[in-house]
Amino acid sequence: MPGISDSFTTAAAFHSAMAILTARRFQRLALLTVVALVFYILLDQADYVAIPMVPKTGQYVQSTYDWARRRMKYPFDESKLIKLPEGIPRELPRIQYDFSQDEASESHIKTQKERQEAVKQAAKKSWNAYRKYAWGRDELLPEKLTGKDTFAGWGATLVDSLDTLWIMGLKDEYKEAVQKTATINWDKTTSSHCSLFETTIRYLGGLLSAYDLNGDQVLLDKAVELGDMLYAGFDTPNHMPANSFNFREAKAGSLRPSMGESSAAAGTLSLEFTRLAQLTGDPKYFNAISGVTRALEKTQDDTNLPGMWPVFIDVSRNEPENPISATGSSFSLGASADSAYEYFSKMYVLLGGLDPTYKKLHMKSMATARKHLLFRPMLPDLYPATPPDVLLSGNVYANGQDIIDLQPQVQHLGCFAGGMFALGGKLFHEPAHVKIGEQLARGCAWAYEAFPSGIMPEVSEIIPCPAPSSAPSSKDEEEEEFPRCKWDDATYKEANTAPGRYPKPFRAVQDPSYLLRPEAIESIFIAYRITGKKDLLDIAWRMFTAVQKATETNEAYTAISDVNVAPGEEQADAHGRGGTRSRTKNSMESFWIAETLKYYYLIFSEPDLISLDDYVFNTEAHPLKIPKPGKEAEGKEGLDTEKEA
């Protein structure tokens, strides 16, 4: 029998043990309570739904934030939802020239294949350098041989290049790129924000195009993830898009449209969102961009230059029926405006001709541009025969009253206009527009050959021919719409502050750089596919060889700072003096592979490879499949490039 002291010791030990057990139970209970509370918050607070990294079919990895489950702060009225047009797509007019009626010689076919292969090798070189030095980054710095993030760090060159790799038959490179793309986490970024416009045309367009070509489900899965994120850009009080897409603000529903938004940023989302709606069957994407379309339609006739919109517009008005104000005075088909106009005819095509709104928007804007923005340059007496039949597009200042002033500034970005006019001309039975489109395309090709490098500058000014006193009164007089004029040396010297510094008739060059841009070859490609004129192939080849010679580095290609200097020559400094300033800009943007090299490749390919009657290109050169009568919109059968290349 234990003693009293032993009893006290035993009791103390018992109480101590019970205290420890109680504490442990409390800790466990507290931990369980915290875990339960966290899950409750995550499930209850729909704006912030974090989901685990769960691999799905193949290599697909879901992003860690599910934008589809995010609750909108300014939801659309379901009763007023604008859905995709119903009905069978119309049989649209044939766009491409009937190449079957021409019998090409063996030497011609051999030459084009050699040219095509040269472009393919340039693309392989560019891609291999990106893969080696900048894999997964947005772009390659081709001289420093390192990566750079300029578009949120998701891999802009990676996604932008997918369809180019497939079209060129680079299947191993394509497969590896898809595997990398499948792991992109849209919630992991190198920036606090992105551009809604750039992300849509490069990333979303690239994913949708590659899916249309090959049918890889993982690409559509990633496109839906991204589309749901970008859809939050329309979660604003007036449902106009906020181009400055701050991720934190987007999740909170506090994005706001800009009072000074570029018309291109507001108007260049429609193709991608529409194709996503067609492929998923979800009308929310089409409804979002339809609000912008309706707002543009309402203001088209009420600007300072009726038919067109100023370069910058106010999309912040909190008036549901009139969310856009377009009171600016500067009008252009160049920077910050270009693709808004480009998408009108292309939307008509993508919707199978079922929405006449886009035809009206295109025809009105092209009529205004034709009347006020296009001009014929005053060409010097340098041609042994007839001078080239070329047009260019400038800018206009209009005050809405008594001033409509043409400013003959030529932008490389504006060189897409030739393809736009030609495509719309075929689509809407306007032969004069097809002719204008060809003249514009040849105008930019002429500007290329005018400079020592064989490449036109980013921005320049040209002496125009005097405008005619009146527009042609009949189709028989169309040739006089842009009358030729003789070279006037006195006019040239009067308008030029430094005669002889630039090729005639250029009177100034505001930006002499070349950024590896695609717009000039884009229009030459479209003009060739529409007219079938073989001399355009030779023009394209001269352009390509000039670009290659001026921009090639040891391992890739780079933008250059001055096209007025021939490759190998010493470059002048900012004051025109000789110097050693580098000609290169150490930049290879994603559109080099995505657009420029794709268009060069396609013009030398068989015409049925990415036919303009089967695909419509977004502004980043991503071909989207056109719905056809009697066929599903998805087009999941894909494209066999080995058969068609």
Side-chain angles (χ1 to χ4, degrees), residues 283-317:
K284 71 178 184 181
Y285 308 111
F286 182 72
N287 174 70
I289 61 92
S290 293
V292 179
T293 302
R294 302 301 178 254
L296 291 174
E297 182 184 18
K298 285 184 177 181
T299 55
Q300 186 171 23
D301 296 328
D302 299 325
T303 69
N304 285 349
L305 192 67
M308 296 182 69
W309 298 264
V311 174
F312 292 96
I313 57 179
D314 180 357
V315 294
S316 69
R317 295 181 64 186

Side-chain angles (χ1 to χ4, degrees), residues 92 95 267 270-271 338-363 365-366 416-428 433 526 612 615-617 626:
L92 299 176
I95 301 298
S270 51
L271 275 179
D338 45 12
S339 47
Y341 299 99
E342 175 189 355
Y343 271 27
F344 294 146
S345 60
K346 292 182 175 182
M347 275 295 291
Y348 184 86
V349 171
L350 190 61
L351 292 173
L354 296 177
D355 189 344
T357 302
Y358 292 99
K359 177 180 179 180
K360 183 176 72 171
L361 290 168
H362 173 84
M363 294 302 295
S365 58
M366 291 306 96
F416 87 98
M420 174 177 63
F421 265 96
L423 182 66
K426 289 292 288 187
L427 186 62
F428 301 125
H433 283 203
I526 294 174
L612 298 181
Y615 294 89
V616 60
F617 288 86
I626 301 171

Side-chain angles (χ1 to χ4, degrees), residues 31 69 133 145 161 176 189-190 205 326 343 387 409 419 536 609 614 635:
L31 180 61
R69 296 176 61 184
Y133 300 109
L145 295 178
S161 302
E176 184 182 34
T189 71
T190 58
Y343 271 27
Q409 184 185 79
L536 292 168
L609 179 60
D614 295 326

Side-chain angles (χ1 to χ4, degrees), residues 25-43:
R25 289 192 185 117
F26 178 78
Q27 290 173 349
R28 290 173 184 167
L29 181 61
L31 180 61
L32 289 173
T33 302
V34 170
V35 171
L37 183 61
V38 168
F39 273 104
Y40 173 78
I41 292 173
L42 290 176
L43 290 173

Side-chain angles (χ1 to χ4, degrees), residues 114-126 448 453-455 514 516 540-554 556-560 567 583-584 592 596-597 600 604:
E114 290 173 348
R115 291 171 172 178
Q116 182 195 52
E117 181 61 25
V119 177
K120 182 176 179 178
Q121 291 305 314
K124 286 185 68 174
K125 178 175 182 175
S126 303
Y448 262 60
S453 63
I455 308 170
Y514 172 63
L516 302 177
W541 180 245
R542 291 196 297 272
M543 291 168 62
F544 173 73
T545 54
V547 168
Q548 187 174 41
K549 184 177 181 180
T551 66
E552 189 170 15
T553 66
N554 289 335
Y557 293 83
T558 179
I560 58 175
R583 291 184 67 252
T584 59
W592 166 244
T596 310
L597 291 176
Y600 277 119
F604 301 128

Side-chain angles (χ1 to χ4, degrees), residues 442-468:
R442 290 181 182 274
C444 287
W446 164 81
Y448 262 60
E449 296 190 353
F451 281 83
S453 63
I455 308 170
M456 70 179 288
E458 182 78 355
V459 184
S460 59
E461 284 188 30
I462 292 182
I463 300 175
C465 284

Side-chain angles (χ1 to χ4, degrees), residues 513-592:
S513 65
Y514 172 63
L515 306 180
L516 302 177
R517 288 201 187 279
E519 293 79 16
I521 184 57
E522 172 186 353
S523 284
I524 291 293
F525 160 72
I526 294 174
Y528 170 68
R529 286 288 185 91
I530 286 177
T531 68
K533 294 182 179 179
K534 290 185 173 59
D535 72 303
L536 292 168
L537 295 171
D538 297 328
I539 289 174
W541 180 245
R542 291 196 297 272
M543 291 168 62
F544 173 73
T545 54
V547 168
Q548 187 174 41
K549 184 177 181 180
T551 66
E552 189 170 15
T553 66
N554 289 335
E555 300 209 41
Y557 293 83
T558 179
I560 58 175
S561 59
D562 195 346
V563 300
N564 201 38
V565 179
E569 291 185 3
E570 185 182 57
Q571 185 180 24
D573 62 18
H575 302 288
R577 300 185 295 264
T580 58
R581 190 161 55 94
S582 173
R583 291 184 67 252
T584 59
K585 294 176 72 70
N586 192 33
S587 172
M588 191 181 85
E589 280 212 49
S590 66
F591 54 64
W592 166 244

